[in-house]
Amino acid sequence: MVEITVNACVDKIAEVVAFVEEQLENMGAGMKAQMQISIAVDELFANIANYAYPNGEGTATVRVEASEDGKKAVITFIDSGVPYNPLEKEDPDITLSAEDRPIGGLGIFMVKKSMDDMIYRYENKKNILSIIKSILP
């Protein structure tokens, strides 16, 4: 398990994504899994950067580890921001045209659809969100 802790701001997204990609390469992740995870990490970290700390700055930790069998990557986001469970957010109605859909929510929906699993818990005043994805090529 390795992790990085950075200020929760949008100018850190590229650094966080690069960190996760490096770990995925070290784990032998397939290219498709790497791309899907990178997009998910970008989206989830951007949400933390934009919404977790409305009253000022905070930090976020991103942890990367392999499942016990080495076949899946587990990426965990930890922040002390406003409690928020993205899994409780209702999925957008994608049958509506873009003009008729309310703004927001599509990113989390895409992450849910592209990952094998997402787990959220609020513990010790921290949001802890894990995404899990098979990394076999």
Side-chain angles (χ1 to χ4, degrees):
M1 180 214 33
V2 291
E3 62 184 34
I4 185 173
T5 299
V6 297
N7 287 333
C9 53
V10 291
D11 64 348
K12 293 292 184 179
I13 294 171
E15 179 180 345
V16 169
V17 170
F19 168 77
V20 171
E21 287 175 345
E22 179 181 354
Q23 304 317 311
L24 292 172
E25 276 188 35
N26 293 341
M27 294 164 72
M31 188 52 65
K32 181 178 178 183
Q34 283 188 45
M35 294 297 294
Q36 290 175 321
I37 293 169
S38 292
I39 291 166
V41 167
D42 186 302
E43 173 65 25
L44 295 172
F45 192 83
N47 283 350
I48 293 169
N50 287 314
Y51 306 115
Y53 299 102
N55 297 326
E57 284 192 19
T59 61
T61 298
V62 180
R63 180 179 297 153
V64 181
E65 55 195 320
S67 60
E68 284 186 29
D69 63 7
K71 295 179 180 179
K72 294 185 177 193
V74 181
I75 319 302
T76 302
F77 300 82
I78 305 164
D79 68 76
S80 300
V82 176
Y84 177 68
N85 181 351
L87 302 180
E88 291 177 348
K89 181 160 179 54
E90 192 173 316
D91 289 343
D93 183 351
I94 57 170
T95 63
L96 295 174
S97 68
E99 297 83 31
D100 294 334
R101 262 195 320 261
I103 293 173
L106 203 53
I108 292 292
F109 176 74
M110 289 177 9
V111 172
K112 281 191 216 176
K113 292 297 182 193
S114 65
M115 295 297 109
D116 296 341
D117 200 6
M118 288 179 72
I119 302 164
Y120 172 85
R121 68 185 191 276
Y122 187 74
E123 191 175 277
N124 299 323
K125 298 185 178 180
K126 292 185 185 302
N127 291 294
I128 304 168
L129 177 68
S130 296
I131 55 173
I132 300 145
K133 179 73 177 170
S134 175
I135 56 171
L136 298 178

Coordinates of all heavy atoms in Angstrom, one line a residue, residues 13-83:
I13 N -4.8 17.8 -9.2 CA -5.4 16.6 -9.9 C -4.4 15.9 -10.7 O -4.2 14.7 -10.6 CB -6.6 17.1 -10.8 CG1 -7.7 17.6 -9.9 CG2 -7.1 15.9 -11.7 CD1 -8.9 18.2 -10.7
A14 N -3.6 16.6 -11.5 CA -2.6 15.9 -12.4 C -1.6 15.1 -11.6 O -1.2 14.0 -12.0 CB -1.9 16.9 -13.3
E15 N -1.1 15.7 -10.5 CA -0.2 15.0 -9.6 C -0.8 13.7 -9.0 O -0.1 12.7 -9.0 CB 0.2 16.0 -8.5 CG 1.2 15.4 -7.5 CD 1.6 16.4 -6.4 OE1 1.3 17.6 -6.5 OE2 2.2 15.9 -5.4
V16 N -2.0 13.8 -8.6 CA -2.7 12.6 -8.0 C -2.9 11.6 -9.1 O -2.6 10.4 -8.9 CB -4.0 13.0 -7.4 CG1 -4.8 11.8 -7.0 CG2 -3.8 13.9 -6.1
V17 N -3.3 12.0 -10.3 CA -3.5 11.0 -11.4 C -2.2 10.3 -11.7 O -2.1 9.1 -11.9 CB -4.2 11.7 -12.6 CG1 -4.2 10.7 -13.8 CG2 -5.7 12.1 -12.2
A18 N -1.2 11.1 -11.8 CA 0.2 10.6 -12.2 C 0.6 9.6 -11.1 O 1.2 8.5 -11.5 CB 1.2 11.7 -12.4
F19 N 0.4 9.9 -9.9 CA 0.8 9.0 -8.8 C 0.1 7.7 -8.9 O 0.7 6.6 -8.8 CB 0.5 9.7 -7.4 CG 0.5 8.8 -6.3 CD1 1.8 8.4 -5.7 CD2 -0.6 8.3 -5.7 CE1 1.8 7.5 -4.7 CE2 -0.6 7.4 -4.6 CZ 0.7 7.0 -4.1
V20 N -1.2 7.7 -9.1 CA -2.0 6.5 -9.2 C -1.6 5.7 -10.5 O -1.4 4.5 -10.4 CB -3.5 6.8 -9.3 CG1 -4.4 5.6 -9.6 CG2 -4.0 7.4 -7.9
E21 N -1.4 6.4 -11.6 CA -1.0 5.7 -12.8 C 0.4 5.0 -12.6 O 0.6 3.8 -13.1 CB -0.9 6.7 -14.0 CG -2.3 7.1 -14.5 CD -2.2 8.2 -15.6 OE1 -1.1 8.8 -15.8 OE2 -3.2 8.4 -16.2
E22 N 1.3 5.6 -11.9 CA 2.6 5.0 -11.7 C 2.4 3.7 -10.8 O 3.0 2.7 -11.1 CB 3.5 6.0 -10.9 CG 4.9 5.4 -10.6 CD 5.8 6.3 -9.8 OE1 5.4 7.5 -9.6 OE2 6.8 5.9 -9.4
Q23 N 1.5 3.8 -9.9 CA 1.3 2.6 -9.0 C 0.6 1.5 -9.8 O 0.9 0.3 -9.7 CB 0.4 2.9 -7.8 CG 1.0 4.0 -6.9 CD 2.5 3.9 -6.7 OE1 3.0 2.9 -6.3 NE2 3.2 5.0 -6.9
L24 N -0.3 1.8 -10.7 CA -1.0 0.9 -11.5 C 0.0 0.2 -12.5 O -0.1 -1.1 -12.7 CB -2.1 1.5 -12.3 CG -3.3 2.0 -11.5 CD1 -4.3 2.8 -12.4 CD2 -4.0 0.8 -10.8
E25 N 0.9 0.9 -13.0 CA 1.9 0.4 -13.9 C 2.8 -0.6 -13.1 O 3.1 -1.7 -13.6 CB 2.8 1.4 -14.5 CG 2.2 2.1 -15.7 CD 3.2 3.0 -16.5 OE1 4.4 2.7 -16.4 OE2 2.7 4.0 -17.0
N26 N 3.2 -0.3 -11.9 CA 4.0 -1.2 -11.1 C 3.2 -2.4 -10.7 O 3.8 -3.5 -10.5 CB 4.4 -0.5 -9.8 CG 5.3 0.7 -10.0 OD1 6.0 0.8 -11.0 ND2 5.4 1.6 -9.0
M27 N 1.9 -2.4 -10.7 CA 1.1 -3.5 -10.4 C 0.8 -4.4 -11.7 O 0.2 -5.4 -11.6 CB -0.3 -3.1 -9.8 CG -0.1 -2.4 -8.4 SD -1.6 -1.4 -8.0 CE -2.8 -2.8 -7.6
G28 N 1.2 -3.9 -12.8 CA 1.0 -4.6 -14.1 C -0.4 -4.5 -14.6 O -0.9 -5.4 -15.3
A29 N -1.1 -3.4 -14.3 CA -2.5 -3.2 -14.7 C -2.5 -3.1 -16.3 O -1.6 -2.5 -16.9 CB -3.0 -1.9 -14.1
G30 N -3.6 -3.6 -16.8 CA -3.9 -3.5 -18.2 C -4.2 -2.1 -18.6 O -4.6 -1.3 -17.8
M31 N -4.0 -1.7 -19.9 CA -4.2 -0.3 -20.3 C -5.6 0.1 -20.2 O -5.8 1.2 -19.7 CB -3.7 -0.2 -21.8 CG -3.7 1.2 -22.3 SD -2.8 2.4 -21.2 CE -1.1 1.8 -21.3
K32 N -6.6 -0.7 -20.5 CA -8.0 -0.3 -20.4 C -8.3 0.0 -18.9 O -8.9 1.0 -18.6 CB -8.9 -1.4 -20.9 CG -10.4 -1.1 -20.8 CD -11.3 -2.1 -21.4 CE -12.7 -1.7 -21.3 NZ -13.6 -2.8 -21.8
A33 N -7.9 -0.9 -18.0 CA -8.2 -0.6 -16.6 C -7.5 0.7 -16.1 O -8.1 1.4 -15.4 CB -7.7 -1.8 -15.7
Q34 N -6.2 0.9 -16.6 CA -5.5 2.1 -16.2 C -6.3 3.3 -16.6 O -6.4 4.3 -15.9 CB -4.1 2.1 -16.8 CG -3.1 1.2 -16.1 CD -1.7 1.4 -16.7 OE1 -1.3 2.6 -16.9 NE2 -1.0 0.4 -16.9
M35 N -6.8 3.3 -17.9 CA -7.5 4.5 -18.4 C -8.8 4.7 -17.6 O -9.1 5.9 -17.2 CB -7.8 4.3 -19.9 CG -6.6 4.3 -20.8 SD -5.7 5.8 -20.7 CE -6.9 6.9 -21.5
Q36 N -9.5 3.7 -17.3 CA -10.8 3.8 -16.6 C -10.5 4.3 -15.2 O -11.2 5.2 -14.7 CB -11.6 2.5 -16.6 CG -12.1 2.1 -17.9 CD -12.8 0.8 -17.9 OE1 -12.3 -0.2 -17.3 NE2 -13.9 0.7 -18.7
I37 N -9.5 3.8 -14.5 CA -9.2 4.2 -13.2 C -8.7 5.7 -13.2 O -9.1 6.4 -12.3 CB -8.1 3.3 -12.5 CG1 -8.8 1.9 -12.3 CG2 -7.6 3.8 -11.2 CD1 -7.8 0.8 -11.9
S38 N -7.9 6.0 -14.2 CA -7.4 7.4 -14.2 C -8.5 8.4 -14.4 O -8.5 9.5 -13.7 CB -6.4 7.6 -15.4 OG -5.2 6.8 -15.2
I39 N -9.5 8.1 -15.2 CA -10.6 9.0 -15.4 C -11.4 9.1 -14.1 O -11.8 10.2 -13.7 CB -11.5 8.5 -16.5 CG1 -10.8 8.7 -17.9 CG2 -12.9 9.2 -16.5 CD1 -11.4 8.0 -19.0
A40 N -11.6 7.9 -13.4 CA -12.3 7.9 -12.1 C -11.6 8.7 -11.1 O -12.2 9.5 -10.3 CB -12.5 6.5 -11.6
V41 N -10.3 8.6 -11.0 CA -9.5 9.3 -10.0 C -9.6 10.8 -10.3 O -9.8 11.6 -9.4 CB -8.0 8.8 -10.0 CG1 -7.1 9.8 -9.3 CG2 -7.9 7.4 -9.5
D42 N -9.5 11.2 -11.5 CA -9.6 12.6 -11.9 C -10.9 13.2 -11.4 O -11.0 14.2 -10.8 CB -9.5 12.8 -13.4 CG -9.4 14.2 -13.9 OD1 -10.4 14.9 -13.7 OD2 -8.5 14.6 -14.6
E43 N -12.0 12.5 -11.7 CA -13.4 12.9 -11.4 C -13.5 13.0 -9.8 O -14.0 14.0 -9.3 CB -14.4 11.9 -12.0 CG -15.8 12.2 -11.5 CD -16.4 13.5 -12.0 OE1 -15.9 14.1 -13.0 OE2 -17.3 14.0 -11.3
L44 N -13.2 11.9 -9.1 CA -13.4 11.9 -7.7 C -12.5 12.9 -7.0 O -13.0 13.6 -6.0 CB -13.1 10.5 -7.2 CG -14.1 9.4 -7.7 CD1 -13.7 8.0 -7.3 CD2 -15.5 9.8 -7.2
F45 N -11.2 13.1 -7.4 CA -10.4 14.1 -6.7 C -10.9 15.5 -7.0 O -10.9 16.4 -6.2 CB -8.9 13.9 -7.1 CG -8.0 14.8 -6.2 CD1 -7.6 14.3 -5.0 CD2 -7.7 16.0 -6.6 CE1 -6.8 15.1 -4.2 CE2 -6.9 16.8 -5.8 CZ -6.5 16.4 -4.6
A46 N -11.4 15.7 -8.2 CA -11.9 17.0 -8.6 C -13.1 17.3 -7.7 O -13.3 18.5 -7.3 CB -12.3 17.1 -10.1
N47 N -14.0 16.3 -7.4 CA -15.1 16.6 -6.5 C -14.7 16.9 -5.1 O -15.2 17.8 -4.5 CB -16.0 15.3 -6.5 CG -16.9 15.2 -7.7 OD1 -17.0 16.1 -8.6 ND2 -17.5 14.1 -7.9
I48 N -13.6 16.3 -4.6 CA -13.1 16.6 -3.3 C -12.6 18.0 -3.3 O -12.9 18.8 -2.5 CB -12.0 15.6 -2.9 CG1 -12.6 14.2 -2.7 CG2 -11.3 16.1 -1.6 CD1 -11.6 13.1 -2.5
A49 N -11.8 18.4 -4.4 CA -11.2 19.7 -4.5 C -12.2 20.8 -4.5 O -12.1 21.9 -4.0 CB -10.3 19.7 -5.7
N50 N -13.3 20.5 -5.3 CA -14.3 21.5 -5.5 C -15.4 21.6 -4.3 O -16.0 22.7 -4.2 CB -15.1 21.3 -6.8 CG -14.2 21.7 -8.0 OD1 -13.6 22.7 -8.0 ND2 -14.1 20.8 -9.0
Y51 N -15.7 20.6 -3.6 CA -16.8 20.6 -2.7 C -16.5 20.2 -1.3 O -17.3 20.5 -0.4 CB -17.9 19.6 -3.3 CG -18.3 20.0 -4.7 CD1 -18.1 19.1 -5.7 CD2 -18.9 21.2 -5.0 CE1 -18.4 19.4 -7.0 CE2 -19.3 21.5 -6.3 CZ -19.0 20.6 -7.3 OH -19.4 20.9 -8.6
A52 N -15.4 19.5 -1.0 CA -15.2 19.0 0.4 C -15.0 20.0 1.4 O -15.4 19.9 2.5 CB -14.0 18.0 0.4
Y53 N -14.3 21.1 1.0 CA -13.9 22.1 2.0 C -14.5 23.5 1.6 O -13.7 24.4 1.2 CB -12.4 22.2 2.1 CG -11.8 20.9 2.6 CD1 -11.2 20.0 1.7 CD2 -11.9 20.6 4.0 CE1 -10.6 18.8 2.2 CE2 -11.3 19.4 4.4 CZ -10.7 18.5 3.5 OH -10.1 17.4 4.0
P54 N -15.8 23.7 1.8 CA -16.4 25.0 1.3 C -15.9 26.2 2.1 O -16.0 27.4 1.6 CB -17.9 24.8 1.5 CG -18.0 23.7 2.5 CD -16.8 22.8 2.3
N55 N -15.4 26.0 3.3 CA -15.0 27.1 4.2 C -13.4 27.3 4.2 O -12.9 28.0 5.1 CB -15.5 26.9 5.6 CG -17.0 26.9 5.6 OD1 -17.6 27.6 4.9 ND2 -17.6 26.1 6.5
G56 N -12.7 26.7 3.3 CA -11.3 26.9 3.3 C -10.6 25.7 2.7 O -11.2 24.8 2.1
E57 N -9.3 25.6 2.9 CA -8.5 24.6 2.4 C -8.4 23.4 3.3 O -8.6 23.5 4.5 CB -7.0 25.1 2.1 CG -6.9 25.9 0.9 CD -5.5 26.2 0.5 OE1 -4.6 25.4 1.0 OE2 -5.2 27.1 -0.2
G58 N -8.2 22.2 2.7 CA -8.0 21.0 3.4 C -7.1 20.1 2.6 O -6.6 20.5 1.6
T59 N -6.9 18.9 3.1 CA -6.1 17.9 2.4 C -6.9 16.7 2.0 O -8.0 16.5 2.6 CB -4.9 17.5 3.3 OG1 -5.3 16.9 4.4 CG2 -4.0 18.7 3.6
A60 N -6.3 15.9 1.1 CA -6.9 14.6 0.8 C -5.8 13.6 0.6 O -4.7 14.0 0.1 CB -7.7 14.8 -0.6
T61 N -6.1 12.4 1.1 CA -5.1 11.3 0.9 C -5.7 10.4 -0.1 O -6.9 10.1 -0.1 CB -4.9 10.6 2.3 OG1 -4.3 11.6 3.2 CG2 -4.0 9.4 2.1
V62 N -4.8 9.9 -1.0 CA -5.2 8.9 -2.0 C -4.3 7.7 -1.8 O -3.0 7.9 -1.9 CB -5.1 9.5 -3.4 CG1 -5.5 8.4 -4.5 CG2 -5.9 10.7 -3.6
R63 N -4.9 6.6 -1.5 CA -4.2 5.4 -1.2 C -4.4 4.4 -2.4 O -5.5 4.2 -2.8 CB -4.7 4.8 0.1 CG -4.1 3.5 0.6 CD -4.7 3.1 1.9 NE -4.4 4.1 2.9 CZ -5.2 4.3 4.0 NH1 -6.3 3.6 4.1 NH2 -4.9 5.2 4.9
V64 N -3.3 3.7 -2.8 CA -3.4 2.7 -3.8 C -2.9 1.4 -3.3 O -1.8 1.3 -2.7 CB -2.5 3.1 -5.1 CG1 -2.7 2.1 -6.2 CG2 -3.0 4.5 -5.6
E65 N -3.7 0.3 -3.4 CA -3.2 -1.0 -3.0 C -3.8 -2.1 -3.9 O -4.8 -1.8 -4.6 CB -3.6 -1.2 -1.5 CG -5.0 -1.1 -1.2 CD -5.3 -1.0 0.3 OE1 -4.6 -1.7 1.1 OE2 -6.1 -0.2 0.7
A66 N -3.2 -3.2 -3.9 CA -3.7 -4.4 -4.7 C -4.6 -5.2 -3.7 O -4.3 -5.3 -2.5 CB -2.6 -5.2 -5.2
S67 N -5.6 -5.9 -4.3 CA -6.4 -6.8 -3.5 C -5.5 -8.0 -3.1 O -4.3 -8.1 -3.6 CB -7.6 -7.3 -4.4 OG -7.1 -8.0 -5.5
E68 N -5.9 -8.8 -2.2 CA -5.1 -9.9 -1.7 C -4.6 -10.8 -2.8 O -3.5 -11.3 -2.8 CB -5.8 -10.7 -0.7 CG -5.9 -10.0 0.7 CD -6.6 -10.9 1.8 OE1 -6.4 -12.1 1.7 OE2 -7.2 -10.3 2.7
D69 N -5.4 -11.0 -3.8 CA -5.0 -11.9 -4.9 C -4.3 -11.2 -6.0 O -3.8 -11.8 -7.0 CB -6.3 -12.7 -5.5 CG -7.3 -11.7 -6.1 OD1 -7.0 -10.5 -6.2 OD2 -8.4 -12.2 -6.5
G70 N -4.1 -9.9 -5.9 CA -3.4 -9.1 -6.8 C -4.1 -8.8 -8.1 O -3.5 -8.2 -9.1
K71 N -5.4 -9.2 -8.2 CA -6.1 -9.1 -9.5 C -6.9 -7.8 -9.6 O -7.4 -7.4 -10.6 CB -7.1 -10.2 -9.7 CG -6.4 -11.6 -9.8 CD -7.3 -12.7 -10.0 CE -6.6 -14.0 -10.2 NZ -7.5 -15.1 -10.3
K72 N -7.0 -7.0 -8.5 CA -7.8 -5.8 -8.4 C -7.0 -4.7 -7.8 O -6.1 -4.9 -6.9 CB -9.1 -6.0 -7.7 CG -10.0 -6.9 -8.4 CD -11.4 -7.0 -7.7 CE -12.3 -7.9 -8.5 NZ -13.6 -7.8 -8.1
A73 N -7.2 -3.5 -8.3 CA -6.6 -2.3 -7.6 C -7.7 -1.7 -6.7 O -8.9 -1.6 -7.1 CB -6.2 -1.3 -8.6
V74 N -7.3 -1.2 -5.6 CA -8.2 -0.5 -4.6 C -7.6 0.9 -4.4 O -6.5 1.0 -3.9 CB -8.3 -1.3 -3.3 CG1 -9.3 -0.6 -2.4 CG2 -8.8 -2.7 -3.5
I75 N -8.4 1.9 -4.9 CA -8.0 3.3 -4.7 C -8.9 3.9 -3.7 O -10.1 3.9 -3.9 CB -8.1 4.0 -6.0 CG1 -7.6 3.3 -7.3 CG2 -7.4 5.4 -5.9 CD1 -6.2 2.7 -7.3
T76 N -8.3 4.4 -2.6 CA -9.1 5.0 -1.5 C -8.8 6.5 -1.4 O -7.7 6.9 -1.4 CB -8.8 4.2 -0.2 OG1 -9.1 2.9 -0.4 CG2 -9.7 4.8 0.9
F77 N -9.9 7.3 -1.3 CA -9.8 8.7 -1.1 C -10.2 9.0 0.3 O -11.3 8.6 0.7 CB -10.7 9.4 -2.1 CG -10.4 9.2 -3.6 CD1 -10.9 8.0 -4.2 CD2 -9.7 10.0 -4.3 CE1 -10.6 7.7 -5.5 CE2 -9.4 9.8 -5.6 CZ -9.8 8.6 -6.2
I78 N -9.4 9.8 1.0 CA -9.8 10.1 2.4 C -9.7 11.6 2.6 O -8.6 12.2 2.2 CB -8.8 9.4 3.4 CG1 -8.8 7.9 3.1 CG2 -9.2 9.7 4.8 CD1 -7.6 7.2 3.8
D79 N -10.7 12.2 3.1 CA -10.7 13.7 3.3 C -11.5 14.0 4.6 O -12.3 13.1 5.0 CB -11.2 14.5 2.2 CG -12.7 14.3 1.9 OD1 -13.5 14.9 2.7 OD2 -13.1 13.6 1.0
S80 N -11.2 15.1 5.2 CA -11.9 15.5 6.4 C -13.0 16.6 6.1 O -13.3 17.4 7.0 CB -10.9 16.1 7.4 OG -10.0 15.1 7.8
G81 N -13.4 16.6 4.9 CA -14.4 17.7 4.5 C -15.8 17.4 4.9 O -16.1 16.5 5.7
V82 N -16.7 18.1 4.3 CA -18.2 17.9 4.6 C -18.5 16.4 4.3 O -18.2 15.9 3.3 CB -19.0 18.8 3.6 CG1 -20.5 18.6 3.8 CG2 -18.6 20.3 3.9
P83 N -19.2 15.8 5.2 CA -19.7 14.4 5.0 C -20.5 14.3 3.7 O -21.5 15.1 3.5 CB -20.5 14.1 6.2 CG -20.1 15.0 7.3 CD -19.7 16.3 6.5

